[in-house]
Amino acid sequence: MTAVAATSGRKVPRGRIDKRQAILDAAFTVFARRGYGQACVKDIADEAGVAKPTVYNHLTDKATLFRHAMEAAADAVMAENLAIVERLREPGDDLRAALEDMAYRMLQICCGERSRALRRLTYAQVADFPELIETVQGRTAVRLGEALADRLARLSLSGRLRPCDPGQAAEQLLALLTGPMETRSRLGTRKVSAADTRAVARSAVDTFLRAYEAAATETP
């Protein structure tokens, strides 16, 4: 029996979904390598291992292919970040260590090739695709902020962080991480060492906890 998946009330063969994803992955690779202007559908078809008409059957033209490839890449980056933030559901006894580990892992994703390519392509093509920044940010930074705010809210309710606006706290923690990394990486144009990445994570968490860590309860 052919595997199927529900899409808008219809059942779509699993093979078609997998092929579409392969095309989107290949498209993002080619766009990242050559830029939107220099990339062509034939290159993408070759990268995906399919015939050129197959690309058009799944995605009607180059612009549509670009939009969907960017959305798929943003979703992939977000899935990695969500898995990391989810680790705060059970942070263990050492909250500082848990936050530093989360921060370091998130910075690794931020500095990874897919994230860097996503930012480069967004900035480069925003004039031709004015909705691109909102689309990419909505699928990455906004969703990440919401997920992190949820975890921080739970930590606040459990008494491990002081009462606060969790959305604002999440925004500030993310700013403490991304700001220094944008500077050190020269806006994503050079690699940052693991030691420097850990230093940024450690410093960001230290500053964050100075503001939000719950006051220690004195023992009578």
Side-chain angles (χ1 to χ4, degrees):
M1 183 182 298
T2 303
V4 296
T7 303
S8 302
R10 298 181 296 107
K11 289 187 175 181
V12 180
R14 171 60 62 188
R16 181 173 176 82
I17 294 173
D18 292 343
K19 187 169 291 185
R20 177 187 172 90
Q21 186 60 52
I23 292 170
L24 291 176
D25 290 343
F28 186 76
T29 297
V30 173
F31 286 131
R33 182 191 304 145
R34 305 198 61 185
Y36 178 78
Q38 296 299 314
C40 66
V41 175
K42 177 64 166 58
D43 295 333
I44 292 167
D46 290 344
E47 183 76 23
V50 300
K52 186 176 176 181
T54 302
V55 176
Y56 285 116
N57 287 339
H58 284 266
L59 296 129
T60 56
D61 53 43
K62 180 179 170 181
T64 300
L65 181 55
F66 178 70
R67 289 189 181 94
H68 284 277
M70 292 291 282
E71 290 173 0
D75 287 343
V77 169
M78 190 63 235
E80 292 179 315
N81 276 312
L82 287 178
I84 291 168
V85 172
E86 183 64 16
R87 297 161 70 96
L88 279 185
R89 184 178 293 275
E90 297 180 4
D93 295 333
D94 192 338
L95 179 59
R96 179 181 293 271
L99 288 170
E100 287 183 7
D101 179 69
M102 178 199 73
Y104 175 69
R105 292 172 183 269
M106 286 169 55
L107 288 176
Q108 285 184 306
I109 293 172
C110 180
C111 293
E113 183 53 39
R114 179 158 46 192
S115 293
R116 291 164 58 200
L118 191 62
R119 292 197 296 277
R120 286 198 308 271
L121 286 167
T122 299
Y123 299 148
Q125 295 305 131
V126 69
D128 294 325
F129 298 86
E131 79 288 353
L132 200 55
I133 287 182
E134 184 173 350
T135 297
V136 172
Q137 285 194 333
R139 290 171 179 265
T140 54
V142 173
R143 288 184 61 199
L144 177 58
E146 292 171 348
L148 182 57
D150 178 73
R151 299 269 71 81
L152 297 180
R154 292 172 184 271
L155 289 170
S156 178
L157 287 172
S158 67
R160 303 192 69 176
L161 295 177
R162 69 172 177 79
C164 62
D165 177 337
Q168 184 179 70
E171 182 180 53
Q172 291 174 346
L173 177 54
L174 291 174
L176 289 167
L177 291 168
T178 57
M181 286 305 288
E182 286 291 274
T183 299
R184 296 191 185 211
S185 68
R186 304 295 188 268
L187 298 178
T189 60
R190 75 176 184 89
K191 291 186 177 181
V192 180
S193 70
D196 281 349
T197 302
R198 287 194 181 279
V200 171
R202 190 161 46 246
S203 177
V205 170
D206 183 64
T207 301
F208 176 79
L209 288 178
R210 286 174 186 271
Y212 287 102
E213 190 171 22
T217 302
E218 293 186 5
T219 304

